[in-house]
Amino acid sequence: MSVSIAIAGKGGCGKTTISAMLVRHLIERTGRGVLAVDADPNACLGLALGVQPETTVAEVRDATLAGKLPGAEANRERAFEYAIHHAMAESKGFDLLVMGQPEGPKCYCAVNNLLRRYLDQAGEEYRYVVVDNEAGMEHLSRRTTNAVNHLWIIAEPTPVGVLTAKRILGLSERLPIVVQQRGVVWNKVTEGVPLPPGAEDLPTLGRVPLDPVVLEASQFGATVFELDAARPALAAVGALLAEQLGLAPKTNP
Ligand SMILES: Nc1ncnc2c1ncn2[C@@H]1O[C@H](COP(=O)(O)OP(=O)(O)OP(=O)(O)O)[C@@H](O)[C@H]1O
Ligand SMILES: [Mg+2]
């Protein structure tokens, strides 16, 4: 069984940054296969992780619908699986799958069923699955199988952050999937500054400090693997992983 961690939150709150940090920690701590899924149509997780797949799941879906999937005449299901497998960008210790643009108004039920089945199967081949979602959690709301073990709602420590975290929490409670554990991760927190009013009503998982080097790294297009392990934001995500999933850092004997 794989353990899934879904990351959600308002635009710009740090979902992609925290997803990439989680992937790095999971690789370093477990040495086991990690699947990173970029479920944001404006896909950026590849940049933070330093890999870019050649194609997206949406492109495979559209090619299937347009009857342009190579080999589909002989065996549609196998051709689909092959194409999705090809969409997987493989890197050291992890693979990245980019979902791409959501579907248009046509009914894609048959293709979506294939896709869901494949993703469920593929997910089981990895020990950990990290999903970087878009604000509306469209990807999660379209899934009907497989529970999400951990849903981390990322929010900035501002009144707008509190309001949106509350909304996303409510939205997550109405998702058609089982979410085993959910809560808010306050990101870009300044030390000594209390969380805004209303934050105390929300289930807080932890805090990640505002880290100017993390911001600078993104401005220069650096990957998460280039960050110094001692950076406070990266260390805070590591501490969260230890607390929430019981995954402590590896210690040298
Ligand atoms: N803890 C932090 N300290 C400093 N800067 C941060 C921190 N977390 C994220 N950032 C910066 O905030 C910006 C937005 O982060 P990111 O792209 O991860 O957000 P996002 O929620 O994925 O955005 P989007 O909704 O556009 O996908 C980036 O420039 C990133 O470097
Ligand atoms: Mg993002």
Side-chain angles (χ1 to χ4, degrees), residues 10-17 40 187-188 208-211 214-215 218 233:
K10 182 183 169 297
C13 64
K15 297 178 293 293
T16 302
T17 305
D40 189 337
N187 185 30
K188 309 187 194 180
V208 177
L210 181 74
D211 191 338
V214 168
L215 178 61
S218 75

Side-chain angles (χ1 to χ4, degrees), residues 15-17 40 42 44-45 132-133:
K15 297 178 293 293
T16 302
T17 305
D40 189 337
N42 178 26
C44 296
L45 187 58
D132 178 9
N133 288 282

